[in-house]
Amino acid sequence: MDAALVAAYQQPSFVKCTLVRFDMAGGAICLTEGGFVVFDSGEGEGPEIYLGNHPIYGSLKGLPSIKDGTEAQTTRLDFGILPPSDIAASALAAPSTQGTRVQWWEGAIDPESGSLIGVPDLKFDGEIDKPRFQVGDSWELTLECGT
């Protein structure tokens, strides 16, 4: 883990930041749980903007938790996304998204500058397995991911 990030985590209060990157066929979708942050994961064409509410695909719903694989199953992670339209939901849930690379980092934000402190820690690097779509008070798409 990056030394500056470790130092930020040791402060009495810090702003935690979650970054999620989906390598979709039409380009990366970069999301964070609120606001926006600029981060270079080394996977794209340089620094990318991670948005709290993507204008096309929506926002993350809650923060994921990693489930250890049992028996013959891989490590699993479910990302909840709130798509703003049926077009966004169908694009994210299309059969072609199966196997799409997904990465999840945790980091810290400097409250004065709004910039990342150090380099976020990569918590998950896997792929989309299958989507689950739920309709209730709002639309929710859960992307089940595995390593």
Side-chain angles (χ1 to χ4, degrees):
M1 189 181 292
D2 181 71
L5 182 58
V6 170
Y9 283 167
Q10 293 173 347
Q11 296 300 314
S13 66
F14 63 92
V15 179
K16 186 177 177 182
C17 177
T18 298
L19 306 167
V20 180
R21 185 176 196 277
F22 300 95
D23 284 338
M24 303 298 274
I29 300 171
C30 302
L31 299 172
T32 187
E33 74 273 3
F36 71 94
V37 68
V38 177
F39 174 57
D40 186 355
S41 65
E43 301 293 333
E45 302 285 325
E48 297 171 305
I49 299 174
Y50 287 71
L51 300 171
N53 189 12
H54 193 281
I56 297 170
Y57 297 105
S59 59
L60 292 173
K61 180 184 184 267
L63 300 176
S65 61
I66 294 177
K67 301 173 200 155
D68 289 332
T70 56
E71 296 176 13
Q73 192 174 29
T74 62
T75 301
R76 310 295 295 169
L77 188 64
D78 293 350
F79 287 99
I81 297 180
L82 301 172
S85 69
D86 57 345
I87 295 169
S90 60
L92 290 167
S96 60
T97 63
Q98 188 172 24
T100 296
R101 185 176 184 193
V102 177
Q103 294 170 293
W104 167 39
W105 294 269
E106 295 234 340
I109 300 277
D110 179 346
E112 291 182 19
S113 70
S115 300
L116 287 169
I117 299 172
V119 179
D121 190 29
L122 181 64
K123 296 289 188 179
F124 180 82
D125 191 347
E127 59 185 37
I128 295 173
D129 183 14
K130 61 182 176 180
R132 276 192 335 260
F133 189 62
Q134 300 167 335
V135 178
D137 292 337
S138 63
W139 294 354
E140 181 180 341
L141 181 68
T142 301
L143 297 175
E144 295 181 24
C145 303
T147 54

